[in-house]
Amino acid sequence: MRLPGARPGLLLATLALLFFQGCAGMQPFMTAEDQIEAAVEEGEYQRALELIDEHEPEPAAEWASRREQIEIMAQEAAEQAMKDARAVSAEGAVAEALGILEDAESRLPESEERARFIDQLERQRQVGLRTLQQRHDVLEARNLVQQLRLLEIMRPLVPDTDQLPADPDALSERAPALAEALEQYADDSEGRERLDLLRLAQDLSPVSERAARIRELQEEMRTREEDKDREEQAERLSAINAQLRQALQAGELQRAAQWCRSRDIQLDEDASGPDQAAQRARISLCDEWREQRDQRAEHLLEEGRRQYTAGQIQEAVNTWEEGLALAPSHSGLATARERALRVLERLDTLRIPEAPAPVDPEASPIPDTEDAEGDEESES
């Protein structure tokens, strides 16, 4: 059968050409064993193991041994890939480390350790990219705010906006999208960073809803800072109370005085929780200190009076001064001390100078007058 309009010779030549081209493009026939070894040579250990399972080449014992060898080679390749990936990731080359692991993932048997490390690096990469993108956007936003402010100042100085170094309207068109990105960053931030991002977004593109959110966040932060200050104050008071309690138990009233003589020891009506409890505890401890102080002052007053009556005036003064150091406003101690000091002054004025000690004649004999004169003549 002849095709209409076709030349038999030309058709045969075309078919022959296509046949030989197809044969040239075909891979030479490879046995299963050859395919396995080719995969091993290329480092495709997972493919080699799959071919062994698929074709089950003979002899079985020999290929079972070969399989163990391939598994060992795959394990060594996996360990080397992990080592290389950890080394480059430690230098910050996260993308390169992921490339090494992904290549290993395609050539080697599955590994839970490698999969976990890939997930870890991927999260690290995403966090790093997001952090750097945020920094970039913040810098761009600050620059844009400054540019718009500068152009606003320059605008009255030029007759036409074409003479400005940049087009304010073109710059303003970028502001809403950038402000929206900053607001999204703020959603993932906390505290001062969130507030700063919202303020920058508001400077770029003022929005009433965002302004309300900023006010709410400012109030929330103020309350949180006040709570933190109260907690720190409660911790300081608790530490002071512990030392004060220890001093009272040891009877060290002078040491305890440093925490109870302050004029700021009063209950803060606005305080609450641990802060108020610590304040109440300190007030109670200081009341106990005052009670012990007054008892000790009275005891020293009476002790000094007994010493004074016994003629131990200086000892009495010392005892009353000890009491005044503890209770400076105790009038009885002050009066007794002043009276005793006046007595000591009068005694000093009435004290008779002591006579010189008698000289022992034998220890230092008085020379004879005649012997002394004779000695002088002999010397002359």
Side-chain angles (χ1 to χ4, degrees), residues 21 41 61 69 80 103 188 190 220 231 233 242 297 309-310 325 333:
Q21 286 180 345
E41 185 177 351
Q69 295 175 0
Q80 185 62 44
D103 176 67
D188 297 332
E190 295 181 355
E220 179 182 338
E231 290 177 0
Q233 175 69 8
T309 303
L333 289 169

Side-chain angles (χ1 to χ4, degrees), residues 176 270 323:
D270 296 332

Side-chain angles (χ1 to χ4, degrees), residues 79-359:
E79 292 175 356
Q80 185 62 44
M82 289 290 293
K83 180 179 179 181
D84 294 343
R86 293 187 188 280
V88 297
S89 66
E91 298 176 357
V94 178
E96 183 179 353
L98 281 171
I100 294 172
L101 294 176
E102 289 170 357
D103 176 67
E105 194 76 3
S106 66
R107 298 184 300 104
L108 304 175
E110 294 182 357
S111 167
E112 292 184 1
E113 180 184 9
R114 184 169 62 245
R116 287 195 300 269
F117 195 30
I118 290 175
D119 291 340
Q120 175 186 337
L121 290 178
E122 186 60 34
R123 289 194 300 269
Q124 182 179 343
R125 187 178 73 89
Q126 294 297 335
V127 170
L129 286 175
R130 179 176 174 80
T131 300
L132 294 175
Q133 182 65 45
Q134 177 176 334
R135 292 181 181 176
H136 175 273
D137 290 345
V138 168
L139 290 175
E140 183 180 358
R142 289 174 178 169
N143 182 56
L144 184 56
V145 168
Q146 293 177 356
Q147 281 185 290
L148 291 173
R149 288 175 179 172
L150 182 60
L151 293 174
E152 188 66 25
I153 296 173
M154 296 174 64
R155 180 171 290 181
L157 304 178
V158 296
D160 192 346
T161 57
D162 293 339
Q163 299 182 15
L164 292 173
D167 184 1
D169 296 333
L171 293 178
S172 298
E173 291 177 358
R174 297 161 49 194
L178 194 53
E180 184 178 353
L182 294 176
E183 194 161 6
Q184 291 177 357
Y185 296 141
D187 293 338
D188 297 332
S189 304
E190 295 181 355
R192 178 62 59 181
E193 183 181 3
R194 173 181 291 182
L195 182 60
D196 291 342
L197 288 170
L198 290 175
R199 284 174 172 171
L200 183 56
Q202 189 69 359
D203 289 340
L204 274 175
S205 179
V207 178
S208 58
E209 293 81 358
R210 189 185 299 122
R213 186 180 178 189
I214 290 174
R215 289 192 298 269
E216 180 180 350
L217 183 57
Q218 288 174 331
E219 181 63 23
E220 179 182 338
M221 290 183 60
R222 185 186 65 80
T223 303
R224 188 181 300 117
E225 290 174 358
E226 291 177 352
D227 293 341
K228 182 180 179 181
D229 291 341
R230 280 194 290 268
E231 290 177 0
E232 293 176 351
Q233 175 69 8
E235 291 178 359
R236 289 193 296 269
L237 286 177
S238 297
I240 291 175
N241 291 344
Q243 298 180 64
L244 177 55
R245 188 178 294 105
Q246 182 181 10
L248 291 175
Q249 292 174 352
E252 300 175 351
L253 299 180
Q254 192 64 39
R255 175 168 165 246
Q258 62 180 314
W259 297 300
C260 291
R261 282 179 177 166
S262 302
R263 297 181 179 180
D264 60 347
I265 303 178
Q266 54 185 353
L267 184 64
D268 185 0
E269 298 297 339
D270 296 332
S272 61
D275 186 19
Q276 189 179 68
Q279 291 184 26
R280 292 184 183 279
R282 185 181 181 189
I283 292 173
S284 176
L285 289 170
C286 287
D287 289 342
E288 180 181 349
W289 169 78
R290 292 186 185 88
E291 182 179 353
Q292 293 187 25
R293 177 202 63 184
D294 294 343
Q295 293 176 358
R296 179 64 177 168
E298 290 298 325
H299 171 76
L300 292 175
L301 177 61
E302 294 301 324
E303 178 66 20
R305 286 173 177 171
R306 286 193 293 270
Q307 292 171 334
Y308 185 86
T309 303
Q312 301 173 346
I313 301 176
Q314 184 59 56
E315 288 77 359
V317 170
N318 295 339
T319 300
W320 290 328
E321 287 180 346
E322 179 184 351
L324 286 171
L326 188 61
S329 60
H330 195 291
S331 58
L333 289 169
T335 301
R337 174 180 174 277
E338 292 175 0
R339 185 183 299 113
L341 289 175
R342 288 196 296 269
V343 171
L344 288 176
E345 290 176 358
R346 287 198 297 271
L347 290 176
D348 287 341
T349 58
L350 296 176
R351 184 176 289 114
I352 300 175
E354 297 181 357
V359 180

